[in-house]
Amino acid sequence: GVLFADAAHEKARVHFPPDTSVVETIERDPRLPLWGRTASLIAERPWTGYGFGKGMLRQELRGRLGDPTLSHAHNVFISQWLQTGAVGLALFVALLAAIGWRYVRFYRSTSDTLALLGLVGLTLLAGFVVKNLTDDFLIRSNGRLFWALNAAILGWGVRLERASPRAVAG
């Protein structure tokens, strides 16, 4: 919350007149109308979505909202729903939950190394979710880095679990 308020204050200072408050900055945020528009697009195709690709509706969103920076949903969960429908969103959330559950298992381990890996993994996952609530960074190098870090942490943790089965909490 403190970091959000600090970021909102900085955005108000840089992008708006000096007397603009943080509340006014949030009220003027162009993502609010964008999310309203994406909600209406989701309502048109809630189960199937519009197809895979963050920029599938780029022209539709830019044209309707009149802002070239609003070319995608600016929220990874809304974006997944818009692209792949409710089923795709559910599978994406299930994947993140499965990764999170594995990190919790690591964290609850009696092995200090596994517990540390669990903490690092949970922190990575939490950071990813929080950062992607106002944008969609699950593309290009950011997406590859996220999945690569998860693969490395999970791979190392599973290997440690197999080497010392008694370290795993039941």
Side-chain angles (χ1 to χ4, degrees):
V2 170
L3 293 175
F4 176 78
D6 182 57
H9 179 67
E10 180 66 16
K11 183 177 179 182
R13 189 182 64 76
V14 171
H15 298 290
F16 292 98
D19 58 341
T20 305
S21 71
V22 172
V23 173
E24 288 174 309
T25 303
I26 293 169
E27 288 173 349
R28 293 182 189 176
D29 194 318
R31 288 175 291 215
L32 298 177
L34 171 67
W35 291 332
R37 178 65 188 134
T38 56
S40 64
L41 288 168
I42 287 169
E44 293 174 15
R45 294 188 188 178
W47 297 105
T48 60
Y50 288 85
F52 191 72
K54 183 173 118 171
M56 289 292 292
L57 297 170
R58 177 179 292 129
Q59 298 306 323
E60 158 70 22
L61 293 172
R62 282 180 177 169
R64 180 70 63 125
L65 299 168
D67 185 341
T69 63
L70 301 178
S71 61
H72 61 92
H74 283 267
N75 178 300
V76 74
F77 299 102
I78 294 172
S79 184
Q80 289 299 314
W81 197 351
L82 196 58
Q83 293 175 52
T84 61
V87 174
L89 173 64
L91 291 172
F92 179 68
V93 170
L95 175 62
L96 294 179
I99 292 170
W101 180 248
R102 188 62 153 179
Y103 288 145
V104 168
R105 284 189 54 202
F106 289 171
Y107 181 73
R108 297 169 85 192
S109 168
T110 58
S111 162
D112 289 343
T113 305
L114 265 176
L116 181 60
L117 285 176
L119 182 63
V120 168
L122 287 169
T123 303
L124 172 66
L125 199 57
F128 169 80
V129 168
V130 169
K131 180 63 178 160
N132 281 281
L133 290 175
T134 58
D135 210 337
D136 184 355
F137 292 105
L138 192 59
I139 58 160
R140 295 188 211 76
S141 59
N142 290 324
R144 284 191 297 270
L145 179 61
F146 174 72
W147 295 120
L149 288 171
N150 277 292
I153 295 167
L154 290 168
W156 188 9
V158 168
R159 188 171 178 152
L160 287 173
E161 279 181 336
R162 288 182 181 159
S164 179
R166 285 181 277 148
V168 179

